Amino acid sequence: MPTAHEDARRVADRVERFVRDIVIPYEDDPRRGPHGPEESLVDELRDLAREAGVMTPHIRQDGSHLTQRETALVLEKTGLSPLGPAACNTAAPDEGNMLLLGRAASPEQKARFLDPLVSGHARSAFFMTEPAELGGAGSDPSMLQCRAEPSGNGWRINGEKTFITGADGAKVGLVMAKAEAGACLFLVDLPDPAIRIDGVLDTMDGTMPGGHCRITIDDLFVPADRILGEPGDGFRLAQIRLAPARLSHCMRWLGLGVRAQEQALDYACRRQAFGRALIDHEGVGFMLAENQIELQQCRLMIDWCAADLDAGNNGNVPSSMTKVAVSEALFRVADRCVQAMGGQGVCDTNIPAQLFRETRCFRVYDGPTEVHKWSLAKKLKKGWTEANA
Amino acid sequence: MPTAHEDARRVADRVERFVRDIVIPYEDDPRRGPHGPEESLVDELRDLAREAGVMTPHIRQDGSHLTQRETALVLEKTGLSPLGPAACNTAAPDEGNMLLLGRAASPEQKARFLDPLVSGHARSAFFMTEPAELGGAGSDPSMLQCRAEPSGNGWRINGEKTFITGADGAKVGLVMAKAEAGACLFLVDLPDPAIRIDGVLDTMDGTMPGGHCRITIDDLFVPADRILGEPGDGFRLAQIRLAPARLSHCMRWLGLGVRAQEQALDYACRRQAFGRALIDHEGVGFMLAENQIELQQCRLMIDWCAADLDAGNNGNVPSSMTKVAVSEALFRVADRCVQAMGGQGVCDTNIPAQLFRETRCFRVYDGPTEVHKWSLAKKLKKGWTEANA
Amino acid sequence: MPTAHEDARRVADRVERFVRDIVIPYEDDPRRGPHGPEESLVDELRDLAREAGVMTPHIRQDGSHLTQRETALVLEKTGLSPLGPAACNTAAPDEGNMLLLGRAASPEQKARFLDPLVSGHARSAFFMTEPAELGGAGSDPSMLQCRAEPSGNGWRINGEKTFITGADGAKVGLVMAKAEAGACLFLVDLPDPAIRIDGVLDTMDGTMPGGHCRITIDDLFVPADRILGEPGDGFRLAQIRLAPARLSHCMRWLGLGVRAQEQALDYACRRQAFGRALIDHEGVGFMLAENQIELQQCRLMIDWCAADLDAGNNGNVPSSMTKVAVSEALFRVADRCVQAMGGQGVCDTNIPAQLFRETRCFRVYDGPTEVHKWSLAKKLKKGWTEANA
Amino acid sequence: MPTAHEDARRVADRVERFVRDIVIPYEDDPRRGPHGPEESLVDELRDLAREAGVMTPHIRQDGSHLTQRETALVLEKTGLSPLGPAACNTAAPDEGNMLLLGRAASPEQKARFLDPLVSGHARSAFFMTEPAELGGAGSDPSMLQCRAEPSGNGWRINGEKTFITGADGAKVGLVMAKAEAGACLFLVDLPDPAIRIDGVLDTMDGTMPGGHCRITIDDLFVPADRILGEPGDGFRLAQIRLAPARLSHCMRWLGLGVRAQEQALDYACRRQAFGRALIDHEGVGFMLAENQIELQQCRLMIDWCAADLDAGNNGNVPSSMTKVAVSEALFRVADRCVQAMGGQGVCDTNIPAQLFRETRCFRVYDGPTEVHKWSLAKKLKKGWTEANA
């Protein structure tokens, strides 16, 4: 009888075949768009994913999730193409939102908001980050300004948000706002005229459907039964998805890193210069060797953090460490692949340039590297203080 | 009486005012395009540049050029905006092509090909690099495959080229091809039906009018008097523009580096997080301090290399050293500005993201960093061998 | 019933207590010497280790070894002090030599050469590397010049060696020399008047008893039954110890990295500057956070490589990758600890300075980083070639 | 008639010949000692320097100094050997102390304290830094704890100092202590029984005569006329030497960087591995190319900062920028030379290892890199604030 882990490997293999055979040929589809694939492309790919049995592959029929270690095997494979996560429904922010709703939503909330996400018929957005110029919450959530006021049998929400991934086209929204009891998370049907998309940000990345949006929430009414958990639970609930969502970014982009390395290796083995194949020039060969090492390190960090989560911990420290290590390493991997491929490397048609853009953003998204280091230093001090009390 | 150098400073000041006051407001003009400003935008900006007396500011009325050290002062200022070089006619490849034609063209060739370039009414392209997949000349010019055959009172040229900057829309072409006597440089009027633009490459940068083009040259006829110099002179002539053109990239992008640092500094002084302005966080403040140091180092390297050229040397070694140092440093500067600005940093609407893309390409263009290091190592060995003979 | 792994953890705990409580107080013993502890200090520490039950802790009474993964747990703890490996008999080159003899020696050879090593009453040396100025074998073993000629019932060996770790004071020698059949490994009793120690090299590191020696082998006679394996087996046998020995360096120095981080953290939490504890300056706090991440990455790479060896593979590629990753990472960790401690950091009395010296050498020893990258690039090309055949 | 600058070049040439021909052969003199050359060696070298006309070569007979730009030419050459600065009397802290006394001492003070320094018959020490464990002044001078109390016709000083370079063997002391009026600088004859040398610190560097000392000042009496300037002038006076002394470190170590590169180049051109000279391996050749670039950048930064000082500015910002850039760059140069030379590189007998130790310390001495970045960030903020007032 196969172990669960072997089962996950089989899922991962099926996903890999799907992504390599079916998804990759779509990479030059004009519907990819500068800031994420258009809905019609996502829909088409998802139909193919259902056909191949790889829709939402990390969640089982009964709603249970693979372990994080198993999820890592699968999500890496969806990441082999920039279109893979959207196709297989393992993309941010849906992956994290599904996890959160699976753990914290009421049965009624699950039926209305979670089920269409899991089946891949809806996308979602998490309305958290706020504009810098208004002094809103960026890396520092305590600066949250969006307000929720009780109103009749529900709440009225007002505020501005930015970098709301996937908001354009999403059908499910999770909105963070501050009420008297503290931060709250509200579930909303989208689109809603009270949630205005002011624009899609002109960011360097471009794989997430719906892009990253600038939003105005103008007197949005939310019925009382659509609060997730209790008033004041907002930050606690956000913590549930925090570490796994952060880690799932690492998993997916590791897959794209593997693919970038494949392209760069192929180029370096074929292209001649100064009398030898590029790879036989140490200047290029060493870069690919460094990549091989760093990709392995990424995989090990992800597995380590995943095991920590699987052990029931909140994973905050391991996921901070892993996020920093993986985002910075994959950026270097991308940079070397670009350089190894020279003129071809700087072309957006090739995977290295795409990974380069994605990971440049990843170093900022989900907490910039510096915020994680700051938090790790605090933890180190706390540990020292306790040991020397 | 002002020295020539003071005069150049005054030109630089005038250029700076023009770029800051007139050009920068055009930065969100929709005609900028993903791979370079459209012709109508370039034309409009050039009319304004003529009005402000800053058209082709590094070449005097009599056709003489500022020294390289003086040119550095001026070109840095045109670089303060990604649109500045196109506006002031100091952009690549025109700047290098004008220099080459000024030194090597016959009076008739100058009248036909150089004059419209200097007046800013025409753009040019240098057809050198060839496709990797055909085993053509990339970083290694000895792999040149494009062929020129004598034909009647002239030549017939056939071949494929790629990364031909500015070809789309250029009126003047300099085409490198191999004849029996060796490499030759031909001057051609553009457009010409025998020079087919197969596409504009999807590169990460986007400031050069016309972008970088893929080209097929299909039986192009060039009259005998449109060869530059003599048959076989091609590589020697290319050397004339090599070091100055390489250096002028450094000058312009240094200007954009200065501007990126201004934006990042402004953001870091205004934006608060965790109870302080960002710049008061060492994690951010140190990045800006490092930028300040590296920008200064760039300026000093450029000045040093310029002085070497002004002394009449070919500048190959200093320009290799400077190109490596400046392109790599400005890339780091860009990267730090992006990181310091967080979510704003990864938006292409801001200068750091633009510099980040430009310098990523610059590390490959005009000889990747590795090719220059390879060449420098050869020079070191040669010096050692001679000293130990 | 405890698993073997739990058993190894208990051994590791016992070793840790011994090193922290007993060995560390010896760190300022004047007998440490500039290039390794003197014999009297080693003997004294080994008596204490026997008393504490931690002599040769990775080899069981019956001569069997802990698995590599288990060994990693134990050797990291011996590495907590620069004196720990010598005290517990887990130091290079003995650890690797014991492994090799355990696998390849005849029963008679084991009794004579291995047993006194395992009991900690003898040290050994591996005579492989040869002087650069003679064009001998350094990173490239094919350049081996030391010669073995048949002579009576044995061999006569002549040659020069350098960087022979621990030769001064060793009682057991493994000498690599080239015979007609190829490279051979010979076992010799030391000292021997035919093996002259010309000097101890003035290297930057200083933890290995006996230092690194320059040697002349002048007509050394070795009886026929003291060849290890068969004539021509030399390189194949060396491979047996290659990967595990390389990996054991990583294990030990990881322990010293942990200790350096402890010292730096302690200093940064106590020392005030500019109104705050050093660790509350991001410039310092971030360095310690980066260390925490890199130490974890080292541990994961070691465990991954150890698992590969435990699975019965030769571990060449994983150990190359791990050696590069760990030596470079620990050097950065050391460098940051030094910097965080300022003036204290550059003092050799503190662990960071010691780790800094050790890891600077480690980046060269057992194959410089560049040789491993070169070899990894070759493997990548081979893989590509096979996949594209 | 030669310009002053040409004159300085001639001095520099003479110094270079002296260092290369006379000083370098002393590099393996056993009197070099682990923490600085012994007095008898310094004396012997200084006699030779006088003979060669290169004693204190940056100060003219009339007591006037070369400009800083000229000084850079000369001090770089003294730095070609680790023994050069001590031999030619351009070493720290004497160089800075002579400069300070030349500007701020009274005629009587000059006669007593400066003249023997300039003639090279005495060495000096600057008693500023205080022990961390006492919360004394390290990078942050405001933490100064050493106290001066008025006493009869003079002062009584008590305190502890550390990292007092050259104190052991110095004849002239400059002691910083806090009186009621603020920080004061006192001139003292050394040795003095009230200034106890508790030990020489076990630092990684080893070129400065007398090493870096730990000191107790126990009721030292200083007559009233031996205060430099006025009570309370201490920090202002220290500023006079601050930037030039910092810069002179850069000048000297640049010279050693040049020499390390020479040794590494020589090794890489002679040593073969894997069928080629090391330099023909890009992995090595690129390192030497990078060094060539960084050495040039160091020279340009030094020249730029020197010009700023020569223009009469205090040079604080340029010298901070230069100190960070040069110390970090030379450390990388050293590290690459070490790596290029492999086993030879990690031997202290070779210059790369020596430069490696020296520059590791230099990154901490005279303000660690982080303190300079912190100060530069403050300056950037100040500039922004003023521009946006």
Side-chain angles (χ1 to χ4, degrees), chain C residues 266-286:
Chain C
D266 189 68
Y267 184 86
C269 288
R270 293 182 195 279
R271 174 66 164 156
Q272 303 284 317
F274 304 100
R276 288 178 260 169
L278 283 187
I279 197 171
D280 292 328
H281 288 276
E282 292 176 8
V284 172
F286 284 18

Side-chain angles (χ1 to χ4, degrees), chain A residues 113-385:
Chain A
F113 296 106
L114 177 57
D115 290 356
L117 289 178
V118 173
S119 70
H121 292 101
R123 290 194 300 94
S124 61
F126 195 83
F127 294 73
M128 171 75 207
T129 314
E130 298 175 344
E133 69 273 22
L134 304 178
S139 297
D140 179 355
S142 74
M143 296 167 81
L144 184 67
Q145 302 215 336
C146 183
R147 283 291 175 279
E149 308 284 344
S151 166
N153 187 25
W155 305 80
R156 292 223 163 256
I157 303 181
N158 283 279
E160 296 190 36
K161 297 284 183 180
T162 193
F163 272 95
I164 305 310
T165 306
D168 189 11
K171 293 188 183 149
V172 172
L174 291 83
V175 178
M176 181 77 80
K178 201 167 190 173
E180 212 183 303
C184 307
L185 257 181
F186 299 97
L187 294 167
V188 299
D189 290 312
L190 292 178
D192 186 303
I195 297 187
R196 197 175 64 231
I197 296 175
D198 297 318
V200 174
L201 296 167
D202 195 23
T203 57
M204 279 194 270
D205 63 328
T207 61
M208 301 185 204
H212 310 287
C213 302
R214 179 66 196 252
I215 300 285
T216 302
I217 303 176
D218 187 3
D219 214 29
L220 171 73
F221 179 76
V222 184
D225 61 354
R226 299 213 180 142
I227 194 168
L228 197 64
E230 300 295 322
D233 279 358
F235 290 152
R236 185 186 63 75
L237 291 167
Q239 290 283 325
I240 291 176
R241 77 189 289 287
L242 186 74
R246 198 183 269 163
L247 188 60
S248 77
H249 273 317
C250 300
M251 297 170 182
R252 287 181 295 261
W253 274 315
L254 171 58
L256 202 59
V258 168
R259 176 102 179 282
Q261 171 81 337
E262 289 174 5
Q263 280 200 354
L265 175 60
D266 189 68
Y267 184 86
C269 288
R270 294 183 195 277
R271 174 67 165 158
Q272 303 283 317
F274 303 100
R276 286 179 260 169
L278 283 187
I279 196 171
D280 292 328
H281 288 276
E282 292 175 9
V284 172
F286 284 18
M287 288 198 279
L288 298 180
E290 289 159 14
N291 284 356
Q292 205 69 4
I293 294 170
E294 296 224 77
L295 289 170
Q296 181 60 33
Q297 288 182 301
C298 289
R299 193 170 286 120
L300 293 173
M301 285 296 279
I302 290 169
D303 184 63
W304 167 71
C305 177
D308 187 72
L309 286 167
D310 287 340
N313 301 315
N314 72 9
N316 280 0
V317 169
S319 72
S320 272
M321 292 169 69
T322 301
K323 196 270 179 184
V324 170
V326 172
S327 61
E328 296 288 338
L330 289 179
F331 177 71
R332 289 188 297 266
V333 166
D335 189 72
R336 291 189 203 103
C337 289
V338 167
Q339 193 69 13
M341 290 177 69
Q344 290 303 309
V346 300
C347 284
D348 280 327
T349 35
N350 292 316
I351 294 295
Q354 295 177 43
L355 179 69
F356 181 75
R357 293 157 166 279
E358 296 292 315
T359 50
R360 186 61 196 85
C361 294
F362 184 28
R363 291 166 57 204
V364 165
Y365 296 166
D366 266 30
T369 297
E370 289 70 26
V371 172
H372 290 289
K373 288 185 183 168
W374 181 82
S375 148
L376 289 168
K378 282 215 171 311
K379 290 280 169 24
L380 286 171
K381 188 186 179 188
K382 189 159 172 268
W384 180 89
T385 306

Side-chain angles (χ1 to χ4, degrees), chain B residues 4-213:
Chain B
H5 213 65
E6 280 164 0
D7 198 49
R9 285 205 181 274
R10 273 206 304 276
V11 174
D13 288 346
R14 200 161 61 231
V15 167
E16 176 165 6
R17 279 195 306 277
F18 171 70
V19 173
R20 290 201 187 267
D21 297 345
I22 310 294
V23 177
I24 287 178
Y26 277 88
E27 285 177 2
D28 53 6
D29 190 295
R31 291 171 296 169
R32 279 190 63 182
H35 298 300
E38 294 173 15
E39 301 301 329
S40 74
L41 175 56
V42 174
D43 290 346
E44 187 172 328
L45 287 167
R46 290 194 172 185
D47 284 342
L48 293 164
R50 280 185 200 95
E51 211 171 286
V54 295
M55 172 55 65
T56 327
H58 62 297
I59 304 186
R60 298 192 196 85
Q61 293 282 0
D62 63 0
S64 68
H65 283 239
L66 298 188
T67 66
Q68 287 293 326
R69 295 185 72 197
E70 293 166 348
T71 299
L73 299 176
V74 174
L75 263 63
E76 179 183 330
K77 299 305 183 187
T78 64
L80 285 167
S81 168
L83 291 170
C88 298
N89 194 26
T90 61
D94 295 313
E95 182 272 340
N97 291 339
M98 291 189 283
L99 186 106
L100 172 55
L101 294 181
R103 294 213 194 148
S106 69
E108 294 73 23
Q109 290 172 337
K110 283 186 186 175
R112 183 180 193 101
F113 296 105
L114 177 58
D115 290 356
L117 289 177
V118 173
S119 71
H121 292 101
R123 292 194 298 94
S124 60
F126 194 84
F127 294 73
M128 172 73 207
T129 313
E130 297 175 344
E133 68 274 22
L134 305 178
S139 297
D140 179 354
S142 74
M143 296 168 81
L144 184 67
Q145 302 213 336
C146 182
R147 283 290 175 280
E149 307 284 344
S151 165
N153 187 25
W155 304 80
R156 293 222 163 257
I157 304 181
N158 283 281
E160 297 189 37
K161 298 283 182 180
T162 194
F163 272 95
I164 306 308
T165 306
D168 189 11
K171 293 189 183 146
V172 172
L174 291 84
V175 178
M176 182 75 81
K178 202 167 189 172
E180 211 184 306
C184 307
L185 257 181
F186 299 98
L187 295 167
V188 299
D189 290 311
L190 294 178
D192 187 301
I195 298 188
R196 196 175 65 233
I197 296 175
D198 297 318
V200 174
L201 296 166
D202 195 23
T203 57
M204 278 194 269
D205 64 329
T207 63
M208 301 185 204
H212 310 287
C213 302

Side-chain angles (χ1 to χ4, degrees), chain C residues 133-344:
Chain C
E133 69 273 22
L134 304 179
S139 297
D140 179 356
S142 74
M143 297 168 80
L144 184 68
Q145 301 214 337
C146 183
R147 283 291 175 280
E149 306 285 344
S151 167
N153 187 24
W155 305 80
R156 292 223 164 256
I157 303 180
N158 283 281
E160 296 190 38
K161 298 283 183 181
T162 194
F163 272 95
I164 306 309
T165 305
D168 189 12
K171 294 189 183 147
V172 172
L174 291 83
V175 178
M176 181 76 80
K178 201 166 189 173
E180 210 183 305
C184 307
L185 258 181
F186 299 97
L187 294 167
V188 300
D189 290 312
L190 293 178
D192 187 302
I195 298 188
R196 196 174 66 232
I197 296 175
D198 296 318
V200 175
L201 296 167
D202 195 22
T203 57
M204 279 194 269
D205 63 329
T207 62
M208 302 185 203
H212 310 287
C213 302
R214 184 68 145 84
I215 300 284
T216 302
I217 303 175
D218 187 3
D219 215 28
L220 171 73
F221 179 75
V222 184
D225 61 355
R226 300 219 178 137
I227 193 167
L228 196 65
E230 299 295 322
D233 278 357
F235 289 152
R236 185 186 64 75
L237 291 167
Q239 289 284 324
I240 292 175
R241 78 188 289 288
L242 186 73
R246 198 184 271 164
L247 189 60
S248 78
H249 273 317
C250 300
M251 297 169 183
R252 287 182 295 261
W253 274 315
L254 171 57
L256 202 58
V258 168
R259 177 102 180 284
Q261 171 81 338
E262 288 174 5
Q263 280 200 354
L265 175 61
D266 189 68
Y267 184 86
C269 288
R270 293 182 195 279
R271 174 66 164 156
Q272 303 284 317
F274 304 100
R276 288 178 260 169
L278 283 187
I279 197 171
D280 292 328
H281 288 276
E282 292 176 8
V284 172
F286 284 18
M287 288 198 278
L288 299 180
E290 288 158 16
N291 285 356
Q292 204 68 6
I293 294 170
E294 297 223 76
L295 290 170
Q296 181 59 34
Q297 288 183 301
C298 289
R299 194 170 285 120
L300 293 172
M301 285 297 280
I302 290 169
D303 184 64
W304 167 70
C305 177
D308 187 72
L309 286 166
D310 287 340
N313 300 316
N314 73 10
N316 280 0
V317 169
S319 72
S320 273
M321 292 170 70
T322 301
K323 196 271 179 183
V324 169
V326 172
S327 61
E328 297 287 339
L330 289 180
F331 177 71
R332 289 189 297 267
V333 166
D335 188 73
R336 291 190 203 103
C337 289
V338 167
Q339 192 69 13
M341 291 178 69
Q344 290 303 308

Side-chain angles (χ1 to χ4, degrees), chain D residues 209-226:
Chain D
H212 310 287
C213 302
R214 179 66 198 251
I215 300 285
T216 302
I217 303 175
D218 187 3
D219 215 28
L220 171 73
F221 178 75
V222 184
D225 60 355
R226 300 216 179 139

